[in-house]
Amino acid sequence: MGHQSRTQGYPSHWEADVVLRDGAAAHLRPISSDDADRLQRMHQGQSESSIYLRYFTYKSTLTEKELARFTVVDHTDRVAMVILLDDEIIGVGGFDRIDDTREAEVSFNISDAHQGRGLGSILLEHLAAAGRERGIERFSAEVLPENRKMLLVFSEAGYEVQRKFEDGVVLLEFSIDPTERSREVMESREHRAEARSVGELLAPEQVAVIGASREYGSVGYHLLQNIVEGRFTGGVHSVNPEAFEVGGTTAYASLEHIRQDIDLGVVAVPPEHLEEVVADCGRHGVKGILVLTDSPQIDQRELVRLARRWGMRVVGPASVGLLNTDPDVSLNASLSPSMPLRGGVGLFSQSASVGVSLYSQAHRRELGLSSVISAGNRADLSGNDAMQYFEDDDATRAVGVYLESFGNPRKFSRIVRRLSRTKPVVVAKSDVMGRRLPPGHEVRTTRAPLGAVDAMLDHSGVVQVGNHDSLMDVLQVLATQPLPAGRRIAILSNSPSMSRVLADAAESQNLKPTRVVGDLDLEGTNREAGKALTRALSELLEDDDVDSVALCLQPSFTGEHVDRSRAISEISREYAKPVVASYIGVLDQNVALNHVGNAAPVIETGALQQGVPIFSSPERSVAALGKIARYQRWRQDGIGEPFVPAGLEGTTVLRDADEKLKRWLTGVRGAELRRLDPDQVAELLGLYGVTVMRSIGFDTDDEAVAAAEELGYPVAVKATNSYLRHRLDLGGVQLNIEDAEMLRRTVAEMRRTLARYGSPGLEVQPMAPTGQGCTLRAIEDPMMGPVVSFGISGDAVDLLDDWAHGVPPLTDRDVRRLVRRPRAGQKLLGYQGVPAVDVGALEETVQRIAILKDNHPQVASLELTPLLASPDGVSVLHAAVEIANPEQRTDSARRAMSRW
């Protein structure tokens, strides 16, 4: 059945690569009959005690009947999963449905050699997710009291476990629906494991350069040289079968001849030898590999599959390296010929050319770095992994990320939102990121509306910039200056006109100039000028109405430029307020601009870098400061609280809706879409507490009158065409029809008017309260998952694309921002004498739809238009829903590494 299960009903989407508690990788998949021998070998390697705790008796081997029972499953009522390392089972878990109920009995068996690596909790998460998919609601288990490790797996998983003791056995029972606590536990475990896996790559004890070369100009030559000259504190080994010595180190023919256990393999070999090298690293216990080799010939999926077979993480291919400036490590496993200044900025990039650009900019600017990760084609290690590490790294105060593609944007949003609460994250990306892929990046693309990715990043609290220069501008402020308490800014200049220019630039960044000083006198002696600068700057920094200071200095009337960065740096260090400076009119080409003036490395871990950010223009200085002030405002406001409208607590609604959607999807194949009929739409939305105003179609005048009498006057008549039904100006809708005679006249007139548009069908609908028309859309995007869009109906969305977007799950603050973000959203809050609508009712409706879409990837698209908001509440006049067979989302309630 092993082979058959892979072709008939085998749930391949349950397969996942996972990170264990110690940072190693492993592969999880459903069991098959091919696993019988593997399971027997694992059993025979177990201690008598472990076998007794699992089976309540001792058995030296498993019988053929037992092996068949454990490995031949239907993946529905009987499910089992295994975790493999080096193609051997190191953990197995499964459940059996009890009769025809929604309860299943679950059990685990973990290899003695791999106890304490978190296998049991990973299996429980994946089995619970599979159980929910198969209609299971509760798990039960029988555990011996002395099996404390297994009891801990259940009790620490975050579920509400009920216990009772009976006949010498502990009986456990719990609902497997995700809870807030179980999600927190899963995310915490995922965070610790992924952070540790990156940490071990950045702080290895033993490094082997595989492909080390004696030929100057080769990648292998410079890699080894940079590691050695960077004063790496661990052991360095070179692997080259054709040399005895390379770069002052003994060269080994292969890893087999190195006595020490290698933590990091740095690989720079021709692409045709790459798979052989990766397999050799795995066989010799290397923990992780950094691959600088780049070629279109590389099969990245096979590369990752090989690495994960032996539990290795992969950085690359096409990486430019890893750097760690911690003096206890001092790792320069990169193509950079020198170590950067030690500082508080962690950098992550993808493609090699981008990585080179970012590092070179940081070097020129004298920007202090804590660590640098170049993921290359990010076949394995991604920005999500890097941010897990940066969150825990005490040396990192701020994070800079250049994104070219997303592997798992939902997970990215979840991680970066948590990280941004404690450390600023600056993200640079292009406008088409997610829609086009750079060479070598094998991930999904998005079809979400333009602006949806930006909205997701905005909700996550990141500081968004559009290019390398802006990224570095913001980072050099964050690296050297404290965060501003607010938007109030003081302007200081030795030019009245430039002080005004700087104040105007600050206002354009939503900063509030409270002090503008343009008469700073720097024309005396250098000593006199220094005193004047100290006095003026100190006075502004001491002002309680000032949160930050921006300086703009120009040369004296002689044209001579005097560098004041040291004085500015020393003064500002005495205050907990940020200071930025710009130099203008500088003719000397040797004067550095857009850099950290008076820079020095960080001595104390986590401290601000010494120096002051210097810019080439006043606009550039306050642009960076304005972005940081907006970030600080986001952090002060908080992310909000979970918002669950009445009736949607628990999972009853989710399960009922899933059953209906499953029934309605019968017969739908592949990527085919099925449009729900009005009754089905009303049924689905009704489960989530959203009522659609009833409408009745008609063919004859008599049918129209009968429909109106059934619904009750006054009524509206609308075209059934999705565009015309909202266009009063085109005759597609007529309102306030009060009797049958008026209805007959209206129908005749509409038929004449609409004949030019193909004579669409007509329908009758009760009149709704007067209000502001809104449009609410929700789609399932292949990259981002659920995306919700909100706008004010009419030209604002049709012509001006005035939409706001959000990616569920949404907090109360997210929903509040979503409704108010469109530029035309001011209409909802009272505009030109029109009263404000019931915004609370509107927000609740938006959240109900967001929860529906988050719960059901089967809903391919959903649109409420118009959603009429009035002072008395909201009315849904029309709704359309299309459903389809869903893809597996990129983030779920089970731990898994991004596949590609």
Side-chain angles (χ1 to χ4, degrees):
M1 182 179 172
H3 175 72
Q4 181 182 10
S5 68
R6 297 296 181 98
T7 56
Q8 294 183 359
Y10 177 79
S12 59
H13 63 284
W14 289 353
E15 292 196 23
D17 293 308
V18 295
V19 182
L20 308 184
R21 184 179 294 161
D22 58 5
H27 186 65
L28 179 148
R29 62 166 172 79
I31 204 166
S32 78
S33 59
D34 297 337
D35 291 317
D37 290 342
R38 296 185 183 91
L39 189 61
Q40 185 73 276
R41 286 195 295 273
M42 175 187 155
H43 177 86
Q44 291 175 343
Q46 297 289 81
S47 66
E48 292 185 16
S49 172
S50 294
I51 293 172
Y52 174 74
L53 292 175
R54 168 62 182 89
Y55 299 104
F56 297 10
T57 186
Y58 175 72
K59 50 183 75 178
S60 59
T61 60
L62 298 173
T63 67
E64 291 296 324
K65 184 177 180 180
E66 287 171 327
L67 287 171
R69 172 165 176 75
F70 293 146
T71 59
V72 179
V73 298
D74 60 12
H75 306 297
T76 300
D77 294 328
R78 299 189 63 247
V79 170
M81 296 181 179
V82 292
I83 298 179
L84 299 106
L85 199 58
D86 193 10
D87 207 32
E88 292 294 332
I89 294 174
I90 61 173
V92 58
F95 67 75
D96 287 50
R97 189 189 298 267
I98 299 174
D99 299 325
D100 293 325
T101 67
R102 291 182 177 270
E103 183 176 336
E105 185 175 356
V106 66
S107 60
F108 304 96
N109 194 8
I110 307 302
S111 166
D112 284 354
H114 298 276
Q115 296 278 347
R117 303 184 75 184
L119 301 180
S121 62
I122 291 173
L123 283 166
L124 179 57
E125 287 172 16
H126 285 256
L127 288 170
R132 290 191 293 271
E133 188 177 323
R134 296 302 192 237
I136 300 294
E137 295 181 3
R138 300 183 69 80
F139 274 171
S140 60
E142 296 183 359
V143 183
L144 290 172
E146 55 265 44
N147 195 350
R148 295 184 180 87
K149 290 182 180 178
M150 194 51 61
L151 290 171
L152 280 174
V153 168
F154 290 112
S155 64
E156 294 180 352
Y159 298 108
E160 296 182 3
V161 180
Q162 298 173 345
R163 295 186 180 206
K164 61 181 179 179
F165 188 75
E166 190 175 294
D167 296 330
V169 175
V170 179
L171 304 179
L172 306 174
E173 186 178 333
F174 55 95
S175 168
I176 60 173
D177 288 331
T179 65
E180 200 65 36
R181 173 63 181 150
S182 69
R183 290 189 184 94
E184 288 175 2
V185 168
M186 184 273 289
E187 291 177 12
S188 175
R189 287 171 171 167
E190 172 190 68
H191 165 70
R192 290 195 302 269
E194 293 179 358
R196 182 168 180 176
S197 72
V198 177
E200 293 198 343
L201 293 170
L202 283 167
E205 293 183 4
Q206 300 290 331
V207 174
V209 180
I210 305 162
S213 173
R214 303 174 70 175
E215 181 182 348
Y216 181 86
S218 67
V219 173
Y221 175 92
H222 291 287
L223 272 174
L224 181 61
Q225 181 185 52
N226 295 342
I227 293 173
V228 172
E229 294 191 357
R231 298 185 178 182
F232 174 56
T233 58
V236 184
H237 312 272
S238 55
V239 177
N240 184 329
E242 299 177 359
F244 293 104
E245 178 271 338
V246 178
T249 66
T250 301
Y252 298 90
S254 69
L255 289 170
E256 183 180 6
H257 298 92
I258 301 176
R259 294 181 180 179
Q260 292 86 350
D261 294 331
I262 301 300
D263 301 300
L264 177 64
V266 182
V267 181
V269 298
E272 60 269 23
H273 299 307
L274 186 56
E275 289 185 10
E276 175 189 347
V277 167
V278 172
D280 192 46
C281 286
R283 284 191 292 267
H284 290 93
V286 176
K287 293 180 180 179
I289 54 175
L290 168 62
V291 181
L292 283 83
T293 305
D294 182 18
S295 170
Q297 304 172 25
I298 297 175
D299 184 340
Q300 295 182 178
R301 300 192 178 198
E302 180 61 18
L303 170 68
V304 173
R305 188 196 67 79
L306 275 173
R308 289 180 179 168
R309 172 179 175 177
W310 283 285
M312 295 186 297
R313 298 302 309 265
V314 179
V315 183
S319 169
V320 289
L322 299 171
L323 292 103
N324 185 351
T325 63
D326 183 342
D328 292 334
V329 179
S330 192
L331 175 68
N332 181 12
S334 79
L335 295 178
S336 168
S338 61
M339 286 286 284
L341 283 178
R342 187 187 181 207
V345 173
L347 280 182
F348 172 84
S349 63
Q350 294 171 339
S351 296
S353 57
V354 173
V356 170
S357 176
L358 291 182
Y359 178 81
S360 62
Q361 283 219 39
H363 179 75
R364 287 197 306 271
R365 291 175 183 245
E366 296 187 83
L367 177 64
L369 304 178
S370 58
S371 51
V372 180
I373 301 171
S374 166
N377 292 347
R378 51 164 305 282
D380 176 14
L381 190 134
S382 69
N384 293 342
D385 299 298
M387 286 188 297
Q388 300 275 37
Y389 168 78
F390 289 137
E391 183 176 358
D392 283 356
D393 181 32
D394 292 337
T396 300
R397 291 182 58 92
V399 177
V401 178
Y402 195 100
L403 285 179
E404 298 171 77
S405 67
F406 266 137
N408 189 336
R410 280 167 64 83
K411 182 176 178 180
F412 177 92
S413 176
R414 170 167 56 84
I415 295 171
V416 78
R417 189 170 210 179
R418 187 183 67 230
L419 173 57
S420 293
R421 287 182 237 173
T422 56
K423 299 178 182 181
V425 180
V426 190
V427 174
K429 70 169 192 62
S430 71
D431 290 337
V432 296
M433 196 276 292
R435 297 179 179 275
R436 301 176 190 166
L437 294 180
H441 290 230
E442 300 182 25
V443 294
R444 300 178 183 183
T445 55
T446 181
R447 294 193 293 269
L450 284 173
V453 173
D454 287 341
M456 182 194 73
L457 293 174
D458 187 53
H459 288 172
S460 301
V462 304
V463 180
Q464 288 193 67
V465 297
N467 52 55
H468 303 69
D469 290 333
S470 296
L471 177 69
M472 287 300 172
D473 283 353
V474 176
L475 287 174
Q476 73 178 28
V477 179
L478 291 171
T480 59
Q481 304 299 306
L483 294 173
R487 298 187 297 113
R488 300 169 302 177
I489 186 171
I491 306 299
L492 178 61
S493 178
N494 60 342
S495 164
S497 59
M498 289 312 301
S499 67
R500 191 64 262 165
V501 168
L502 185 51
D504 291 345
E507 287 181 338
S508 72
Q509 297 296 328
N510 202 30
L511 297 172
K512 182 182 177 182
T514 54
R515 295 279 303 275
V516 179
V517 178
D519 58 356
L520 175 63
D521 185 3
L522 300 179
E523 293 298 334
T525 65
N526 194 39
R527 184 176 181 182
E528 291 171 342
K531 286 183 177 181
L533 176 60
T534 299
R535 185 168 52 252
L537 182 54
S538 299
E539 181 184 341
L540 293 177
L541 287 169
E542 289 171 2
D543 192 331
D544 291 339
D545 289 332
V546 170
D547 298 315
S548 58
V549 178
L551 293 92
C552 179
L553 303 181
Q554 65 181 14
S556 66
F557 66 88
T558 64
E560 179 186 4
H561 169 75
V562 178
D563 185 6
R564 308 285 181 187
S565 58
R566 180 174 181 179
I568 298 170
S569 172
E570 290 177 350
I571 299 164
S572 62
R573 206 182 313 166
E574 299 176 9
Y575 301 88
K577 297 179 181 181
V579 175
V580 296
S582 55
Y583 292 159
I584 62 166
V586 179
L587 299 177
D588 188 347
Q589 296 182 0
N590 296 317
V591 174
L593 298 174
N594 301 313
H595 77 122
V596 177
N598 193 41
V602 168
I603 304 301
E604 183 181 348
T605 299
L608 285 168
Q609 180 184 352
Q610 175 186 298
V612 62
I614 305 294
F615 295 91
S616 59
S617 71
E619 293 83 3
R620 206 162 162 174
S621 67
V622 291
L625 195 56
K627 291 180 183 297
I628 294 169
R630 283 193 289 277
Y631 159 73
Q632 178 70 338
R633 176 65 181 272
W634 175 87
R635 201 159 89 165
Q636 290 169 344
D637 288 346
I639 63 172
E641 299 295 332
F643 173 27
V644 181
L648 300 186
E649 305 87 350
T651 59
T652 302
V653 170
L654 183 153
R655 291 184 183 277
D656 290 348
D658 265 343
E659 289 181 0
K660 293 181 185 298
L661 289 166
K662 182 178 180 180
R663 187 169 67 249
W664 295 336
L665 280 168
T666 302
V668 176
R669 299 180 180 277
E672 178 186 348
L673 292 173
R674 170 165 292 175
R675 191 177 185 90
L676 298 185
D677 63 42
D679 290 339
Q680 292 171 329
V681 171
E683 198 174 343
L684 176 63
L685 294 180
L687 286 173
Y688 281 87
V690 178
T691 302
V692 182
M693 190 169 286
R694 188 182 175 199
S695 61
I696 302 176
F698 62 86
D699 293 320
T700 68
D701 292 3
D702 290 341
E703 290 177 352
V705 171
E709 290 176 349
E710 180 180 345
L711 296 173
Y713 289 101
V715 296
V717 179
K718 300 181 179 182
T720 55
N721 178 278
S722 60
Y723 178 71
L724 292 171
R725 65 180 292 114
H726 311 301
R727 296 303 299 266
L728 189 65
D729 56 330
L730 298 179
V733 56
Q734 294 295 325
L735 306 174
N736 291 313
I737 301 165
E738 297 182 345
D739 55 41
E741 182 181 350
M742 185 177 179
L743 177 59
R744 291 178 188 275
R745 288 198 309 269
T746 300
V747 170
E749 182 181 340
M750 289 183 69
R751 282 179 172 151
R752 285 193 300 273
T753 302
L754 296 175
R756 73 184 73 176
Y757 304 114
S759 299
L762 299 175
E763 64 184 19
V764 176
Q765 189 175 59
M767 283 296 299
T770 302
Q772 174 60 55
C774 305
T775 300
L776 181 61
R777 292 177 179 170
I779 66 165
E780 183 71 17
D781 181 67
M783 183 181 81
M784 300 177 67
V787 177
V788 176
S789 304
F790 175 82
I792 305 301
S793 298
D795 290 344
V797 294
D798 295 336
L799 296 179
L800 303 179
D801 203 31
D802 185 20
W803 290 99
H805 309 285
V807 177
L810 304 177
T811 66
D812 57 352
R813 188 173 293 276
D814 293 333
V815 176
R816 178 182 173 84
R817 288 172 176 162
L818 183 69
V819 169
R820 289 162 175 75
R821 180 147 304 199
R823 293 185 295 277
Q826 183 61 38
K827 290 183 174 183
L828 302 172
L829 307 177
Y831 181 72
Q832 293 187 345
V834 177
V837 307
D838 185 348
V839 180
L842 178 60
E843 291 173 353
E844 181 178 320
T845 301
V846 170
Q847 181 69 329
R848 288 180 182 275
I849 295 301
I851 292 174
L852 183 158
K853 187 66 212 74
D854 196 29
N855 284 347
H856 305 293
Q858 309 96 310
V859 176
S861 69
L862 183 157
E863 182 169 342
L864 307 184
T865 179
L867 170 60
L868 205 62
S870 73
D872 300 320
V874 296
S875 305
V876 180
L877 275 57
H878 181 261
V881 177
E882 291 182 320
I883 60 175
N885 292 308
E887 292 187 53
Q888 181 72 11
R889 283 180 175 167
T890 57
D891 197 24
S892 63
R894 61 191 184 109
R895 277 178 280 170
M897 300 157 69
S898 301
R899 293 306 302 270
W900 315 117

